């Protein structure tokens, strides 16, 4: 299996995936694609010796054409599993369908609460006591696909958007590679609106637990 990672920004989740790939926890990252030529994530990929492609939305008349170009780049790199790691574009059928059940996103909230931008701020504004992150299969909606795994963190009275986002990010870096591993191993698959296990997650240890806060 070969992974393709889509990025638009800082690239800390990409770095976590690359680190997991270097340890053999997840398959090789074959290609990193970005819609933003100047994003720091691309530099992280280059430093790791991973092939990169910029697919500039400005040169495409309509969004489906951009999605098609991204899918073609992933296909040419023989990517089987696509990971959205801070990719700030909605994607549609031309990109989702070729990778149905093999395209994942990480989001900094306990979905279905707080989809979209600035999720930690949304959580603070609503006064929730528990926040977290979600890895889910991607569909055409905004952060709306079947949920694979979640991790929770407390919201502290003194939290700012930055401090809460940082606490959540630590869990993202643990959860995303773990979920990628489960998919690569064929242990979780998409079935309609749900992600289902093909074996019992209760037999899994350490990194593998999908239950927030449970580690051995
Ligand atoms: C992460 O919080 C991720 O959940 C969200 O965008 C952010 C990307 O951060 N989708 P990074 O680029 O991986 O550092």
């Amino acid at each position: 299996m070969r992974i393709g990672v889509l990025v638009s920004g800082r690239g800390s989740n990409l770095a976590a995936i690359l680190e997991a790939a270097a340890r053999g926890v997840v398959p090789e990252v074959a290609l990193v694609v970005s819609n933003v030529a100047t994003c720091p994530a691309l530099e992280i990929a280059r430093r790791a010796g991973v092939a990169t492609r910029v697919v500039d939305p400005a040169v495409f008349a309509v969004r489906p054409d951009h999605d098609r170009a991204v899918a073609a780049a992933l296909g040419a790199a023989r990517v089987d599993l696509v990971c959205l790691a801070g990719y700030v574009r909605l994607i549609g059928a031309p990109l989702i369908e070729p990778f149905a059940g093999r395209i994942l996103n990480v989001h900094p909230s306990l979905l279905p609460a707080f989809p979209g931008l600035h999720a930690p701020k949304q959580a603070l504004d609503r006064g929730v006591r528990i926040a977290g992150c979600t890895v889910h299969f991607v569909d055409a909606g905004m952060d709306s696909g079947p949920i694979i795994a979640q991790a929770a963190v407390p919201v502290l009275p003194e939290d700012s958007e930055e401090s809460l986002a940082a606490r959540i990010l630590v869990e993202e870096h643990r959860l995303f590679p773990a979920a990628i591993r489960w998919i690569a191993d064929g242990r979780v698959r998409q079935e309609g609106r749900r992600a289902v296990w093909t074996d019992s997650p209760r037999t899994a240890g350490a990194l593998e637990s999908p239950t927030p806060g449970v580690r051995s």
Side-chain angles (χ1 to χ4, degrees), residues 57-70:
V59 305
F60 298 92
V62 290
R63 190 160 58 92
D65 287 348
H66 180 262
D67 284 348
R68 243 183 298 280
V70 173

Side-chain angles (χ1 to χ4, degrees), residues 2-179:
R2 288 157 65 87
I3 297 177
V5 184
L6 272 48
V7 295
S8 304
R10 175 179 58 185
S12 71
N13 278 286
L14 169 64
I17 294 167
L18 289 170
E19 200 259 330
R23 288 190 290 121
V25 173
V26 303
E28 170 197 1
V29 177
L31 182 67
V32 172
V33 180
S34 183
N35 58 324
V36 181
T38 55
C39 75
L42 282 174
E43 194 45 44
I44 291 172
R46 288 185 199 111
R47 276 205 303 273
V50 175
T52 60
R53 274 286 301 275
V54 175
V55 184
D56 180 359
V59 305
F60 298 92
V62 290
R63 190 160 58 92
D65 287 348
H66 180 262
D67 284 348
R68 243 183 298 280
V70 173
L74 294 166
R78 291 178 292 115
V79 161
D80 328 276
L81 177 63
V82 180
C83 299
L84 275 53
Y87 187 64
V88 292
R89 278 176 72 83
L90 269 182
I91 64 174
L95 181 49
I96 296 171
E97 276 168 12
F99 297 100
R102 294 178 292 126
I103 178 162
L104 316 180
N105 181 45
V106 63
H107 180 76
S109 80
L110 294 174
L111 291 170
F114 314 132
L117 292 175
H118 308 298
K121 179 171 190 312
Q122 294 185 54
L124 282 179
D125 288 349
R126 286 298 299 268
V128 299
R129 302 294 190 239
I130 305 223
C133 57
T134 302
V135 177
H136 62 93
F137 288 110
V138 173
D139 64 14
M142 169 87 81
D143 303 316
S144 58
I147 290 168
I148 298 167
Q150 296 185 301
V153 302
V155 180
L156 304 179
E158 64 273 21
D159 265 332
S160 62
E161 181 181 355
E162 291 70 31
S163 66
L164 178 57
R167 192 174 308 119
I168 294 170
L169 198 63
V170 171
E171 294 304 316
E172 293 185 39
H173 296 164
R174 181 183 71 83
L175 196 68
F176 206 4

Side-chain angles (χ1 to χ4, degrees), residues 174-213:
R174 181 183 71 83
L175 196 68
F176 206 4
I180 293 167
R181 174 66 187 257
W182 299 332
I183 302 294
D185 286 348
R187 297 177 66 191
V188 183
R189 65 169 194 281
Q190 186 171 346
E191 215 174 81
R193 289 291 311 140
R194 291 167 56 91
V196 297
W197 285 83
T198 55
D199 61 358
S200 168
R202 300 200 186 289
T203 62
L207 245 190
E208 295 201 321
S209 173
T211 310

